[in-house]
Amino acid sequence: MLRFLLVCCFFISFQNHAQNRQKIDSINKLYVQGLNIPQDSIVAIFKKNAERANRIKYEKGEADAYFQLSLVYGYQGKYDLSTENSIKAIAIYEKLNLMDRIADFYAESGYSMKYNDLEKAMKTMQKGKAIAEQNKLDTILKDVYNNYGVLKEINQELDSALYYFEKGLAIKQRHNDTIGIPYSWSNMAGVYGLQGNFEKSREFFNRSLNQRLLWADSLGIAENYTQLGEVFMAEEKWNNAIPLVHQSLPISIKKQYKNLTQYNYKLLSDIYKKLNNTDSALYYFEQYSAVKDSVHSIKVKEKIAALNVEYETKKKQNEILKQRAQLAEKDLEVRRKNTFIFGSLGLAFLLGLLGYLLYNQQKLKNRQFQKEAELKSALAKIETQNKLQEQRLRISRDLHDNIGAQLTFIISSIDNLKFGFTDISEKLGNKLSAISSFTSQTIYELRDTIWAMNKEHITFEDLQARISNFIEHARIASEKTNFTFEIASTVNKNHLFTSVEGMNIYRIIQEAVNNALKYAEASEIKVLIEAKDEKFVLKISDNGTGFDEKNSSGGNGLNNMRKRASDINADIKIASTPEKGTSVTLIIKK
């Protein structure tokens, strides 16, 4: 009876273990680019899968989850996290001697670093290609050849690129790889475009797009829209290219594919520049710069280098440990004989623990259900935040593209009125000039508002760039005035303000400088930002005509500054002496 109970318990445990492995493998086989859920949710799924595999000591499943995480982070432009997870994966693959996974790892790692270090990317991919060819791993080679062709294309070796694309396509068609075939078509189309064969390029891109639309491959669809836009750009058909890039952009933003997002912004900026639409060109270039700075930071590159050094060091240490393990093997053989004797005693102890383990397993299941519920709640919250961010971007685009364009049209129309009618009176001409000037100022204020809307937080560094740009415009408008702008070394430039706080601070500085230029006739204006006693102190001073504080009502400008300071719970002090100048001091608590 006791033996039967033990066999039953063992069978149940083995069956649960096998089912858990199947579940882990099925999640790891998910096609990352084809998942139509937010990228942060995909990260959470594979993190949880890695934890589940680790919990049941399923090393291959854990490594596959890390490998998928490295791909997701790569698409997001988080190269340090991508490198960190890929190193975790390869360490386990090498330990298990899984040649197909090792080949795939080196191939994907090389491909992911193509824009950071092309020479190193080539060498890493060649290592993966050699392992796959040596072991005749067709399922790996079909993607390796395709991605290796991309590196050849980047290196301007177009004939070699086409050769590898065709080799990869042949294997995919042989295995009926309906998801992979569109990638080969897209890459071949890109080479045809570079060779000037635009019709053939467009034909292959459309083949790829139609296949991806059937599979709802979001990232692939976004890439094809961008690529078709590039073909029209190469033919200088700018108006045909614009809608295609605009179809790609919201998909790449939603899927957090930062490399494609920044590339789309750059293409739109270049197109609008060619069409002499300077407002739109500037807007999309600013968006491109913001995404580019977040992806290609020096800190990320330094962290990747450090991770690679750490991996190489650990690898050497493991080789030393392996040699020691071989020496300890003989000693272990002797211990095994002794262990067998004690094993019988341990069996009795294990039977006693069996009931406890079954009880504990049930508790773990309950805890797992609770965590899954928490994860679903977190995913829902993330999705809501993504929708809010998309709405902010849409509103800012509408403000810029619609209202900005309408204001520009008003300025153009007023200028046409002034120069189109020779008999306009001086009073009416002055009135039209005033309206044109006011409309131009409104456009600048609209850009500042869009700038603040597109940021969840604003740092002193962001303010410095914006204020410097404003002062540069002021310097051009008033050549006789000497401007000085300084941020003290004690100020933490990375301190975060909300977008509302940052915008109000910027407007107060802008108002004070404008007052000094328009009314005080100042020859010197100084803007100084300091940190004192857990406070930030912003001082705008001038040597202008000043005014009598006792006999002055303040005017709209001064009242606006006081209102903005009150809105962000800051103190403002305005001091002025006739013929000696004015100073505006804004004190913000940290």
Side-chain angles (χ1 to χ4, degrees), residues 168-264:
L169 178 61
I171 299 174
K172 290 175 182 178
Q173 289 174 331
R174 194 160 62 244
H175 290 273
N176 194 28
D177 182 3
T178 53
I179 295 177
I181 288 171
Y183 285 92
S184 295
W185 285 340
S186 288
N187 291 329
M188 291 169 69
V191 174
Y192 290 135
L194 291 172
Q195 291 175 338
N197 192 343
F198 301 124
E199 286 301 321
K200 198 166 186 179
S201 175
R202 206 169 2 254
E203 174 195 338
F204 273 77
F205 277 136
N206 280 316
R207 272 194 210 176
S208 176
L209 178 60
N210 291 333
Q211 181 68 55
R212 283 164 165 172
L213 287 168
L214 288 174
W215 280 93
D217 177 2
S218 300
L219 292 180
I221 292 167
E223 287 178 350
N224 279 152
Y225 282 137
T226 298
Q227 290 158 338
L228 283 166
E230 287 182 289
V231 176
F232 282 117
M233 287 178 69
E235 297 176 281
E236 298 188 0
K237 296 178 180 179
W238 314 112
N239 289 319
N240 290 342
I242 290 173
L244 289 163
V245 182
H246 272 300
Q247 281 181 282
S248 171
L249 185 59
I251 302 174
S252 66
I253 292 172
K254 182 178 180 181
K255 300 296 288 184
Q256 298 177 24
Y257 190 174
K258 289 190 177 180
N259 283 326
L260 183 58
T261 299
Q262 72 163 350
Y263 189 61
N264 282 332

Side-chain angles (χ1 to χ4, degrees), residues 18 20 89 94 226 315 337 370 382 427 490 528:
N20 284 335
E94 289 181 339
T226 298
K315 195 173 180 181
K337 292 179 181 178
Q370 183 181 354
I382 290 168
K427 185 176 180 181
T490 55
L528 174 63

